[in-house]
């Protein structure tokens, strides 16, 4: 076992990770060579599909995107090598938008390498700090030396990200000015559903102003809720789920070894429960709550509590006074009665004085009052005290896992008094979130992102705009992956906000009729009582398991095949 | 990227992990072959050292251990292959005591393989659920098939652990009965400082009763506070620190990418801050609080807060409104004024009525009252409400990281009003604990544990008792590791409790003059302002970094050399 000091980065960039010291694993990853799908390794051409429509309300989408609506999606296909390939130089900008997801740096590397290999003499600008960087024209020119230390690395710190949006006419104007100033041929927006909607609006705007700047989106979010038939998964989901599953697997062995704790694990992912579902498929916990199912069955908080308590009681009868329970971060958002209560609280807190005697509670309707009284005191206080700048209750700050522990405790005491429970219950709470957003990307995410970026370069080079980079056939070997671009308008529907139609890419929720949920549902009763725990262990970059994709993607692709 | 369903264990045991499904990484690890130190691969003999003394108060230790005190430590050395080796059969018991630490299963595998290879026909019993299993004679006979699925796996679930102690005359009697009933030649106790003290008491007791049963200890604790010159590290520390460091490294990249959060990470390890120090050396956080330094410098909570706030302010001046701060779980235990306050609160809460008006506070002395008023309200409430069954404040339940965030916020607001701070501060709290206790052991811990167990078998085979299995020279290649046994009485001192002397193995605290702390202290100012973050990444089982030992062990061994 030789001493292993951390090494310095072989060729550190002038800015960026200058003062960084790299671990051995980071160093190894920097030099990890990425495979490309075959179609990207040889001369290719773009094949147009049929005219596209929209996910809903095509007439409204057509009005919102008069220049782009209806344009076909495209596929890259091998071309006759004797046909001359486009080699004109490009000026391209790239921006990271929203929360981190492992693999973002590789999308940028993919764009860069495309330009180096297929459009020599091109320039790649990285806008700093998200869309604000576009509006303020804050950028850095990305060179080979600059990009090198970020290859296959986690984080978004190469150019950083931000949550600003380009929405108002004034902001569109700023973006235009930047595009003109830098003489941009194209812009790649790496982001989630909102950012890709904005990318399409920007594409439409540039087109309407006759600017040459094209816009291509890339699907990013650890939450896994930006996907459709053409875009089978968003990057980062694979890595984040594997990091959380490593931790869950460890906690499971802890639970089984001590035999005295119920671990309540809240997992990131507020809008959809894909992460929780995937982690369940990877680790086989005793109980898993899926928000979409709670909403579909219109469950109350009492129902959820009772479901957990029933399993705890049954396990106690077979002497298992321990277990692991997965809860999606957004659980509360899926429970209609909680939404009602919060709505009423927001009204009351905005307009009335909250008296210590509790007279204010009379303003709650009967059902909300009953629910409020049912909540543990600490949660009541969080609801009253934790307010955002608009005075609203901050749902994201509510520690759902602690709330459930307390509610389960209370219900178990009741059952104990009724003679229906004789076990011991000790809850331990966990929240796994930030740990998963910036890990070193798995081989899958590293390769997938590189192809997404390389493909985005190809789309821009061919003059395409308003598409989202799409890499498919992901269960096959990398060589056989398909590459193309999907019309962003095809993913869109409209929502009415303040009397106006706004385009939205609908978040992909967990489908209760989808293969991943059905697989989970067919196994959960067995997992509840038997202990079928799986410990996925730490992500490996070589050897067995290192090239595995996740269960959600596999099951979805298999069911489509 | 081929589909990778989880596989079943090739040869599942009749009990134990019967219903388990193994991940690919677990499967790979089950079959991972472990290297042995050369001395264990060939004929060896035991070489006695000089008579031993004690860590303190040798006269009292001599009285407490009349049969064992003074016995020499021993080293295994190669023997003339022509000299006949002992081959008599043995009946051995093994027990896991206290909290989990990665590698426990490998200690058992090591004992088992020793018996298979060097004492054919021997029997190994695993006592179930910790020392209680000895007293109640609850055991399982460990066979090759039974042990197989646990090789190189995390957790203690092969035979489970427990926190009972064998202390009273009645309990010693029960242990004797079990030893006689099973006709035990030896017992291996795998545990921390307390468990090894008890192992020595048991060895003394068996010897005094002329029982043939010998007792050997093994050093286990992720906290890393059971170590001395002869026992360079306790197993589990390496794996746990690497798991925590993976998460810390991820959170660091998150901090740098978003640029808007201060992550306060509380790390397991209540009595000593070794884990926090090691994680700091692996990841280079901006701020690290070491409990032993806080105690040595008699710092107050206000001092600690000010130290953090000073760094936050300096960073804000260079536009860094983010960072990562490591805090040992036991921080509060190291702050004298907090100890005083808690002592007073325990008294008051036991005897007085706590009135809502706060008149009870007049019973606190001035300094304690000032500190109490200085604490955030949520912490005040935790101190008043969270009580153990004896009515005492539960210090371990206090979320120190959240407390510090609130105190830092308050102090920053003050400085803002004074015009001394113009930055933004948003704290995020984390606790990394249970995730690290049951991970798949690193190559180091897997190999170290196997040697500890194999060596323990050798010590028992040679009729030794009251020793702790000791494997040294850990920075050299495995072949050159030394193997032996250290007299447990050599590690002991006495403490006076209830007017009686009790033997104790003193916990090894972070030495402020030791090499690891000095290395940290020489770098922390640079880490505070520059961002020298290292992301160690997930533990790898092959390739670069997979055989690395930790910084603490390396620096300590180097400084001794």
């Amino acid at each position: 076992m030789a001493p292993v000091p951390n090494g310095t980065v072989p060729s550190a960039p002038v800015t960026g990770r200058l003062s960084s010291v790299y671990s051995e694993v980071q160093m190894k990853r920097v030099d990890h060579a990425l495979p490309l799908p075959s179609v990207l390794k040889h001369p290719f051409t773009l094949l147009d599909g049929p005219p596209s429509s929209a996910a809903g309300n095509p007439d409204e989408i057509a009005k919102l995107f008069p220049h782009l609506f209806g344009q076909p999606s495209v596929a890259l296909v091998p071309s006759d090598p004797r046909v001359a390939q486009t080699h004109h130089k490009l000026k391209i900008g790239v921006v990271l938008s929203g929360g981190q997801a492992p693999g973002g740096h590789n999308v940028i590397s993919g764009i860069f390498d495309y330009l180096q290999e297929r459009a020599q003499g091109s320039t790649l600008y990285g806008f700093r700090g998200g869309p604000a960087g576009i509006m303020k024209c804050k950028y850095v020119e990305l060179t080979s030396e600059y990009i090198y230390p970020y290859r296959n690395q986690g984080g978004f710190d190469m150019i950083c990200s931000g949550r600003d949006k380009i929405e108002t006419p004034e902001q569109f104007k700023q973006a235009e000015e930047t595009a003109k100033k830098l003489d941009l041929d194209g812009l790649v927006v790496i982001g989630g559903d909102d950012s890709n909607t904005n990318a399409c609006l920007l594409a439409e705007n540039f087109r309407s102003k006759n600017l040459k700047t094209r816009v291509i989106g890339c699907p990013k979010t650890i939450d896994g809720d930006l996907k459709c038939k053409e875009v089978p998964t968003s990057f980062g989901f694979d890595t984040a789920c594997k990091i959380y599953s490593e931790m869950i697997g460890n906690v499971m062995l802890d639970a089984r070894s001590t035999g005295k704790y119920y671990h309540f694990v809240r997992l990131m992912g507020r809008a959809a429960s894909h992460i929780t579902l995937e982690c369940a498929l990877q680790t086989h916990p005793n109980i898993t709550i899926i928000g979409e199912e709670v909403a579909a069955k219109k469950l109350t908080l009492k129902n959820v509590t009772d479901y957990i308590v029933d399993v705890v009681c049954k396990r106690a009868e077979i002497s298992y006074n321990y277990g692991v329970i997965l809860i999606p971060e957004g659980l509360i958002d899926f429970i209609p009665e909680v939404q009602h209560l919060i709505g009423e609280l927001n009204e009351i807190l905005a307009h009335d004085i909250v008296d210590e005697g509790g007279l204010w509670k009379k303003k709650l309707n009967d059902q909300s009052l009953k629910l409020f009284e049912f909540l543990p005191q600490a949660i009541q206080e969080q609801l009253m005290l934790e307010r955002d700048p608009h005075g609203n209750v901050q749902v994201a700050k509510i520690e759902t896992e602690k709330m459930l522990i307390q509610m389960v405790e209370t219900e178990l005491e009741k059952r104990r008094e009724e003679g229906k429970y004789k076990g011991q219950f000790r809850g331990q709470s966990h929240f796994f979130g930030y740990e998963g957003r910036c890990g070193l990307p798995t081989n899958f995410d590293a390769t997938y992102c590189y192809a997404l970026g390389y493909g985005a370069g190809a789309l821009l080079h061919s003059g395409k705009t308003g598409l989202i980079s799409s890499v498919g056939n992901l269960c096959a070997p990398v060589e056989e992956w398909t590459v193309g671009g999907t019309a962003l308008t095809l993913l869109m529907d409209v929502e009415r906000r303040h009397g106006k139609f706004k385009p939205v890419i609908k978040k992909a929720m967990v489908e209760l009729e989808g293969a991943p949920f059905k697989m989970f549902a067919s196994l959960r009763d067995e997992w509840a009582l038997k202990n079928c725990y799986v410990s996925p262990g730490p992500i490996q970059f070589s050897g067995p398991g290192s090239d595995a994709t996740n269960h959600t993607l596999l099951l979805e692709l298999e069911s489509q095949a």
Side-chain angles (χ1 to χ4, degrees), chain A:
Chain A
M1 304 266 167
V4 178
N6 291 309
T8 45
V9 191
S11 141
V14 180
T15 54
R17 291 194 174 184
L18 182 60
S19 55
S20 278
V21 174
Y22 269 32
S23 68
E24 281 214 89
V25 175
Q26 283 181 297
M27 304 255 287
K28 181 189 172 191
R29 293 305 285 170
V30 160
D31 289 321
H32 172 70
L34 291 164
L36 271 179
S38 288
V39 71
L40 292 176
K41 290 196 283 190
H42 306 289
F44 54 76
T45 185
L46 262 60
L47 193 69
D48 278 358
S52 67
S53 181
N57 294 295
D59 295 347
E60 299 301 330
I61 296 296
K63 283 184 218 159
L64 289 163
F65 297 95
H67 297 85
L68 295 180
F69 180 78
Q71 73 164 332
S73 299
V74 299
L76 268 67
V77 292
S79 73
D80 187 331
R82 288 163 303 184
V83 176
Q85 297 274 305
T86 334
H87 278 295
H88 61 275
K89 286 191 270 185
L90 293 171
K91 287 184 182 158
I92 303 286
V94 61
V95 67
L96 293 162
S97 181
Q100 287 86 256
H105 289 149
N106 276 27
V107 178
I108 301 175
S109 304
I111 303 167
F112 183 81
D113 288 358
Y114 177 88
L115 296 177
Q116 290 281 100
E117 289 161 21
R118 304 273 188 148
Q120 282 92 349
S122 294
T123 310
L124 181 60
Y125 300 108
F127 289 105
R128 288 191 168 281
I134 300 177
M135 296 186 278
K136 296 178 192 160
C137 201
K138 269 184 65 184
Y139 65 91
V140 59
E141 189 179 330
L142 299 174
T143 60
S144 182
E145 293 70 32
Y146 195 97
I147 285 179
Y148 172 68
Y150 297 95
R151 287 184 184 263
N152 301 309
Q153 304 295 311
F156 270 10
D157 52 319
M158 187 204 289
I159 53 176
C160 292
S161 182
R163 293 190 183 274
D164 302 274
K165 287 182 186 172
I166 302 174
E167 291 185 308
T168 65
E170 175 58 28
Q171 289 168 328
F172 277 115
K173 191 97 191 70
Q174 291 171 331
E176 281 166 47
E177 279 161 20
T178 294
K180 284 181 192 158
K181 184 175 166 195
L182 295 181
D183 189 32
L184 288 187
D185 296 291
L187 174 67
V188 180
V189 176
I190 303 169
D193 50 338
D194 265 3
S195 306
N196 274 286
T197 304
N198 283 330
C200 196
L201 287 167
L202 205 55
E204 176 70 27
N205 182 65
F206 287 161
R207 175 66 58 90
S208 73
K209 302 278 171 65
N210 277 321
L211 252 69
K212 69 168 178 176
T213 315
R214 269 79 176 178
V215 186
I216 298 292
C218 278
K220 172 231 70 166
T221 169
I222 63 163
D223 294 353
D225 55 9
L226 170 54
K227 62 180 171 187
C228 57
K229 201 170 123 278
E230 296 79 6
V231 181
T233 189
S234 58
F235 78 77
F237 175 74
D238 187 75
T239 307
C241 288
K242 285 174 182 166
I243 291 173
Y244 300 143
S245 293
E246 175 195 354
M247 297 299 126
I248 295 164
N250 290 357
V251 163
M252 282 173 163
L253 285 190
D254 204 277
R256 177 151 63 182
S257 299
T258 50
K260 64 183 180 189
Y261 291 117
Y262 270 93
H263 294 272
F264 284 64
V265 180
R266 178 167 50 115
L267 292 161
M268 216 170 221
R270 199 170 148 197
S273 301
H274 296 290
I275 288 177
T276 302
L277 179 57
E278 172 62 26
C279 290
L281 290 168
Q282 287 194 26
T283 63
H284 308 182
N286 302 107
I287 298 172
T288 305
I289 310 292
I290 299 297
E292 287 84 342
E293 185 182 28
V294 169
K297 295 186 173 169
K298 298 194 171 59
L299 299 184
T300 63
L301 210 45
K302 178 79 169 70
N303 295 148
V304 174
T305 307
D306 282 344
Y307 170 61
I308 297 172
V309 169
D310 287 347
V311 174
V312 170
C313 287
K314 275 186 209 151
R315 288 177 62 80
E317 281 169 27
I318 46 175
S319 298
Y320 291 148
N321 286 301
Y322 64 89
V324 174
I325 299 172
L326 305 189
I327 304 153
E329 186 182 23
L331 176 60
I332 280 183
D333 293 320
F334 287 103
I335 302 178
E337 58 166 3
V338 179
Q339 288 309 303
H340 289 151
L341 170 62
I342 288 170
E344 290 186 39
L345 283 176
N346 283 343
E347 277 298 310
I348 293 171
L349 296 174
H351 301 111
D352 293 287
I353 289 159
V354 173
D355 58 305
E356 294 225 349
L359 284 173
W360 67 271
K361 288 186 201 164
K362 292 200 177 156
K363 302 225 167 71
L364 292 171
N365 78 22
D366 282 357
Q367 199 205 8
S368 291
L369 179 60
K370 210 173 134 194
L371 174 61
F372 188 79
E373 302 285 3
F374 175 63
L375 294 172
Q377 203 190 330
I379 302 299
Q380 289 181 1
E381 282 171 16
Q382 275 186 351
L383 285 172
M384 305 301 293
L385 299 173
E386 295 278 0
R387 317 273 283 286
D388 69 14
H390 309 288
N392 292 327
V393 171
Q394 287 192 279
V395 180
K397 286 220 170 172
I398 295 175
E399 296 174 308
T400 327
E401 70 286 14
K402 290 189 180 168
M403 180 181 79
L404 284 175
I405 288 174
Q406 290 187 41
M407 294 196 308
V408 166
E409 270 173 1
T410 306
E411 180 62 26
L412 283 172
E413 277 318 302
K414 227 176 82 188
R415 298 210 189 173
R416 188 189 301 284
E417 282 165 21
E418 295 164 1
K420 292 177 188 160
Y421 172 65
K422 294 187 173 61
Q424 300 295 322
F425 176 83
R426 291 167 74 177
Q428 280 288 350
S429 63
H430 304 262
F431 173 51
F432 297 151
Y434 295 91
E435 301 86 335
R437 304 199 314 177
C438 282
L440 283 162
T442 56
N443 281 342
F444 172 79
D445 268 330
T447 307
Y448 179 55
C449 286
Y450 190 65
L452 283 173
Y454 207 95
L459 294 173
L460 287 173
H461 207 188
S462 308
K464 294 292 171 187
T465 191
L467 305 179
I468 183 167
S469 181
S470 311
V471 175
N473 199 25
L474 297 171
C475 281
V478 179
E479 298 74 47
E480 298 167 30
W481 286 4
T482 59
V483 181
T486 305
L488 276 163
T489 45
L490 175 65
L491 278 52
M492 285 192 196
D493 197 343
V494 288
E495 269 181 13
R496 218 181 166 92
R497 286 185 204 161
H498 308 298
K500 272 187 176 175
F501 282 118
K502 294 257 289 183
V504 287
I505 297 176
K506 279 262 165 90
K507 281 187 196 295
M509 308 301 282
V510 169
E511 299 278 352
L512 302 188
E513 291 304 313
F517 183 83
K518 280 165 86 174
M519 171 70 85
F520 156 72
S522 73
L523 294 167
R524 63 176 151 185
D525 290 342
E526 191 185 348
W527 296 348
L529 298 187
K530 294 184 191 167
N531 298 321
C532 311
Y533 302 152
V534 181
S535 185
I539 290 167
Q540 298 296 296
F541 296 115
S542 60
S546 60
D547 283 336
T549 52
N550 56 75
H551 295 256
T552 301
L553 180 59
L554 281 175
L555 290 166
E556 286 180 346
L557 291 179
E558 278 169 14
S559 69
Q560 284 166 18

